[in-house]
Amino acid sequence: MPSYAGPAAARPGDVAGTLRLLAYLALSITLIVFDHRGGWLAQVRARTELLVQPLWWLAGLPARLGDNVRDNAATRARLSAENRALRNALLVNGARQARLQAATAENERLRGLLGAVERSRLDVQLAPILDIDLDPTRQRLVLDLGSRDGVSVGQTVIDAGGVLGQIIDVKPSTATVLLLTDPDHAVPVAVARSGVRLVVYGRGDRLELANVPLSSDVKVGDALVTSGLGGRFPAGFPVGTITALRPDDSRAFLLGDLKPAAQLDRGRDVLLLRRVIVSPGPGAATAQAARNAAIPDSPISTRAGPQPSQAQGPRTTDPASRGPQPPGPTP
Amino acid sequence: MSRPRNHWVLPVSVLVALLLGLLPLPAMLQPLRPYWLALVVAYWVIEDPDRAGLGFAFAMGVIADLTFGGLLGEQALRLTVMAFILQRFRSQLRFFPLAQQALAIGGLLLNDRVVGAALRLSLGEPQLPWTFWWAPLLGMLLWAPVFLLLDALRLGRSR
């Protein structure tokens, strides 16, 4: 203590300060532990987070304004170029869709012959992302839609490429998405080529395939789709492509790195799968609101990565692990 | 104490710090985001100890945890630790020239990163990428402007 501070007089205050510090430290550690474990604190938290909503809205404002300005300032030439590109894409997709429609019809007919449960169309809702940065250790997104718009906890979130995550928290005007890459997240998947069932874990900023048996029919380049086990995610949506396989610490299993099928970094919009499945039939989804679109189940699932070669000789695939076959590759 | 003080500056500065923390940055710049709230809390703890103490730091931390959607109590703990150290050395810090003060704040922000990392380690949560360790440096550089701005706002025209 320097001389001018009056060390003798400061002593009692020091003790009281230290005690106060200890009290606050104990309080925050209690909070941390309770929040880490989950439980009753989650409810308190959900309530209090409502107060934060205006702040989020305010923080998302600059990005929204920026988007507006960019849209307004875009030159005519750029817009028409973009328009042309989009029109081409629409044409190509339309053609593809038409072909898939035929395949879907045939699929449904065959399923009918097999007596299987009818797969129906999936209903999706377009959801804009509220552009704010949350805690960088957690892989979350905030959507600009909430319970007021019919969003509910547990809904699957996808984009054009594949599964993005699921809704874990809904407020009246916002919803929080847990991304596949969050360390708390795991998704049951199946290898599109061989049907081997595995689990993909989030590892912060990447995806990992853990506990892959050495004998299973899994290769680098394999596309993974959701298997639908566990009931959280519907089956057949692309999750990612295996980019590397290596033995884990025990040398008894393999670890795999994945390239996510969805664009996990910021986009502008995502699609929310509605739980409600529209009854099958060609006319079921024609009268949708302008923001909503109905897409058949198969077109998305068939975009899963590179086409696997059919000439692949089966290695030591356990027949039991083949299970319900995920939608196969398009011819 | 005889000078008229602007009492609205404290809540507004905290609000702005929270908003700056939420502001979307490109992924490249994200690790460099300074810990605005820590800078603001540090200012108030140094300059206005009657209103801002450990309890203030703790409350701001809880609010920040709720706002950023992180682990509840994490920032509360980090800010409390920082406020405590600041209180201990307040008498010296107040007489430091601004550059030296900034250096001390840089050290505190670095310490804050260490506390955060230790906390994550003990809970088994994933660590931040190493690039996030640049942020204290930026925070240090920003201390002088933040300090001067808040001082000017709080005390009217100038000191």
Side-chain angles (χ1 to χ4, degrees), chain A residues 60-74 78-79 128-131 144 266-269, chain B residues 24:
Chain A
L61 207 58
R64 267 201 299 278
L65 287 179
D67 278 352
N68 279 350
V69 169
R70 211 175 314 138
D71 284 351
N72 288 339
R78 226 191 67 205
L79 279 181
I129 295 175
L130 187 62
D131 208 356
D144 208 0
R266 250 192 299 268
R268 263 209 219 176
D269 300 285

Side-chain angles (χ1 to χ4, degrees), chain B residues 41 55 85 97 99:
Chain B
V41 167
I85 301 174

Side-chain angles (χ1 to χ4, degrees), chain A residues 4 14 18 21 24 27-29 31-32 35-36 45 52 55-56 59 131-135 137-138 183 266, chain B residues 15 22-25 30 33 54-55 58 67-73 77 84 88 92 120 123 125-126 128:
Chain A
Y4 58 79
D14 276 5
T18 314
L21 170 76
Y24 280 122
L27 199 58
S28 37
I29 288 171
L31 275 180
I32 291 171
D35 197 35
H36 194 56
R45 195 190 167 110
V52 177
L55 216 56
W56 284 4
D131 208 356
I132 55 175
D133 284 345
L134 294 183
D135 190 343
T137 49
R138 301 197 165 185
R266 250 192 299 268
Chain B
L15 193 71
L22 280 174
L23 203 69
L25 289 179
Q30 226 164 353
R33 181 201 301 277
L54 291 183
F58 179 82
T67 310
F68 299 138
L71 202 58
L72 199 60
L77 184 124
F84 179 75
R88 272 298 148 92
Q92 286 101 314
R120 293 220 177 79
L123 289 171
E125 298 246 321
L128 284 170

